């Protein structure tokens, strides 16, 4: 890394995150992506300061990273490998930058470039994907690729990425279980690292997003039983974690009730409609805890 104090590198990264969160309507009308482009420039600056990616990871053929590679779409490691040492640490930090660059390009409607960065993120994490430091970032990258391919109407490719995320979550919880590092913590000093409770909250939110996207994919594939199951799981988890937008939650619950009505499951349908009515009543009384709940994590 260039002779720049690590604290300064972290400040640049945090500034990029802040710019990324600026709502589009706050930008000039003729430059709706101005803040996104400014954030991208800062992310590229951090990437340059970190230096080139480790050769053994960066030079892997892209074909190895596509859906169908390995055991579960993108492959699962046989064992947990923690990123130890400066080379591994740099790979993880670069993966965080590649992820944010990918989301940035997608947000500015540059999908091919976004895909390239997200795939590169996964490539850098391949060896460590099941580790405490990398599992959340890996799942988020795959979730975003799932959304991207779904928007391209390549539903089976989206399904592969999203099912891989689900498999990773389940394997991690079975073999490790402790709340993993949030990707942003790679650029935080030790004293500012998140609590175990906050880490768990963020990780469970990532998994809830995964279930929501899977519900949509199964709906597209006309796998209606599965879609209903994942929709129900999503709604339940959103309530448990107090992470939902009342109007959106109520609409989804009411939509789910129609599935149960068609299956002649009237008690379940009634329960969904009653819950939708209760949650809808919260509109205007509480702040939206997830203003963009079903967008990219």
């Amino acid at each position: 890394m260039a002779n720049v104090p690590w604290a300064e590198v972290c400040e640049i990264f945090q500034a990029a995150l802040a710019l990324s969160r600026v709502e589009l309507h706050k930008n000039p009308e003729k430059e709706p992506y101005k803040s996104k482009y400014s954030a991208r420039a800062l992310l590229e600056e951090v990437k340059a300061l970190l230096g080139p990616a480790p050769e053994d990871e960066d030079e892997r053929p892209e074909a190895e990273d596509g859906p169908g590679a390995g055991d579960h779409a993108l492959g699962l490691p046989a064992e947990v490998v923690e990123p130890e040492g400066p080379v591994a640490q740099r790979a993880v930090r670069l993966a965080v930058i590649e992820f944010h660059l990918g989301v940035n390009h997608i947000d500015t409607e540059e999908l091919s470039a976004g895909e390239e960065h997200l795939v590169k993120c996964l490539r850098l994490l391949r060896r460590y994907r099941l580790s405490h430091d990398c599992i959340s970032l890996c799942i988020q990258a795959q979730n975003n690729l799932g959304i991207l391919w779904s928007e391209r109407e390549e539903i089976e490719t989206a399904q592969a990425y999203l099912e891989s995320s689900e498999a990773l979550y389940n394997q991690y919880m079975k073999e490790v279980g402790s709340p993993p590092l949030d990707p942003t913590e790679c650029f935080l000093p030790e004293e500012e690292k998140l609590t175990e409770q906050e880490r768990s909250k963020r990780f469970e939110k990532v998994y809830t997003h995964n279930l929501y996207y899977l519900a949509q994919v199964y709906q597209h594939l006309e796998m209606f039983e599965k879609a209903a199951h994942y929709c129900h799981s999503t709604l339940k988890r959103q309530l448990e974690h107090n992470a939902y937008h009342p109007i959106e939650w109520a609409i989804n619950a009411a939509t789910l009730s129609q599935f149960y009505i068609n299956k002649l499951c009237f008690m379940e349908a009634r329960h969904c409609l009653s819950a939708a009515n209760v949650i809808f009543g919260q509109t205007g009384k509480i702040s939206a805890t997830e203003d963009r709940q079903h967008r990219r994590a």
Side-chain angles (χ1 to χ4, degrees):
M1 189 175 74
N3 293 324
V4 176
W6 177 243
E8 186 175 330
V9 176
C10 293
E11 286 179 9
I12 298 171
F13 176 76
Q14 296 301 329
L17 288 191
L19 283 167
S20 298
R21 297 186 185 114
V22 173
E23 297 175 27
L24 295 182
H25 71 268
K26 294 183 179 179
N27 287 307
E29 186 175 345
K30 294 183 179 180
E31 298 178 275
Y33 298 133
K34 182 178 180 180
S35 58
K36 299 289 185 185
Y37 294 143
S38 297
R40 184 185 302 177
L42 293 178
L43 290 169
E44 291 286 4
E45 183 179 348
V46 174
K47 181 178 176 180
L49 290 171
L50 290 174
E55 290 184 9
D56 61 336
E57 293 298 320
D58 191 44
E59 298 303 321
R60 290 177 181 271
E62 279 195 34
E64 293 184 17
D65 298 282
D71 298 325
H72 292 84
L74 303 184
L76 292 176
E79 58 184 357
V80 179
V81 179
E82 294 292 342
E84 298 176 348
V87 174
Q89 185 181 56
R90 183 157 55 90
V92 174
R93 288 170 175 170
L94 282 168
V96 173
I97 299 302
E98 293 292 351
F99 170 77
H100 284 285
L101 283 170
V103 172
N104 181 287
H105 279 85
I106 291 171
D107 285 345
T108 58
E109 302 181 54
E110 300 164 79
L111 300 187
S112 294
E115 179 191 358
E116 182 179 339
H117 285 292
L118 292 173
V119 168
K120 195 166 187 178
C121 169
L122 291 178
R123 193 181 307 148
L124 287 162
L125 297 178
R126 177 182 293 278
R127 185 177 302 169
Y128 317 110
R129 69 178 65 186
L130 203 60
S131 71
H132 171 269
D133 290 3
C134 302
I135 181 68
S136 182
L137 178 59
C138 186
I139 290 176
Q140 289 184 56
Q142 292 186 171
N143 280 353
N144 276 275
L145 282 165
I147 300 168
L148 186 152
W149 284 101
S150 179
E151 290 176 349
R152 289 172 169 170
E153 299 186 358
E154 295 283 349
I155 305 302
E156 291 182 357
T157 303
Q159 178 188 5
Y161 277 113
L162 295 171
E163 288 182 346
S164 175
S165 286
E166 182 184 28
L168 274 172
Y169 172 88
N170 289 331
Q171 186 177 355
Y172 179 84
M173 295 304 291
K174 179 181 178 181
E175 298 184 14
V176 183
S178 59
L181 200 74
D182 186 78
T184 58
E185 292 186 81
C186 292
F187 292 90
L188 285 177
E190 197 62 36
E191 63 272 16
E192 293 183 26
K193 293 292 178 70
L194 303 177
T195 63
E196 293 284 285
Q197 183 178 11
E198 180 62 24
R199 285 177 177 174
S200 178
K201 177 182 175 182
R202 294 191 184 193
F203 188 49
E204 293 303 324
K205 172 184 172 182
V206 169
Y207 181 54
T208 300
H209 286 166
N210 174 237
L211 298 181
Y212 173 80
Y213 304 137
L214 276 170
Q216 294 184 73
V217 161
Y218 292 137
Q219 182 74 21
H220 278 294
L221 294 172
E222 299 185 359
M223 301 168 68
F224 300 122
E225 293 278 355
K226 256 191 164 183
H229 169 74
Y230 278 82
C231 180
H232 180 270
S233 296
T234 299
L235 294 171
K236 183 172 181 289
R237 288 175 60 85
Q238 287 173 340
L239 285 182
E240 289 173 348
H241 297 286
N242 192 32
Y244 60 92
H245 188 293
I247 294 177
E248 192 167 0
W249 194 98
I251 290 172
N252 288 333
T255 301
L256 182 59
S257 74
Q258 296 304 305
F259 168 81
Y260 288 126
I261 289 173
N262 292 335
K263 300 289 290 185
L264 304 182
C265 299
F266 300 118
M267 291 295 290
E268 290 85 349
R270 180 180 178 184
H271 178 75
C272 287
L273 288 171
S274 296
N277 187 55
V278 170
I279 299 301
F280 186 78
Q282 296 177 356
T283 304
K285 297 179 182 179
I286 63 173
S287 61
T289 56
E290 291 290 325
D291 193 37
R292 295 180 70 189
Q293 170 65 33
H294 302 317
R295 295 304 300 164
R296 301 176 176 86

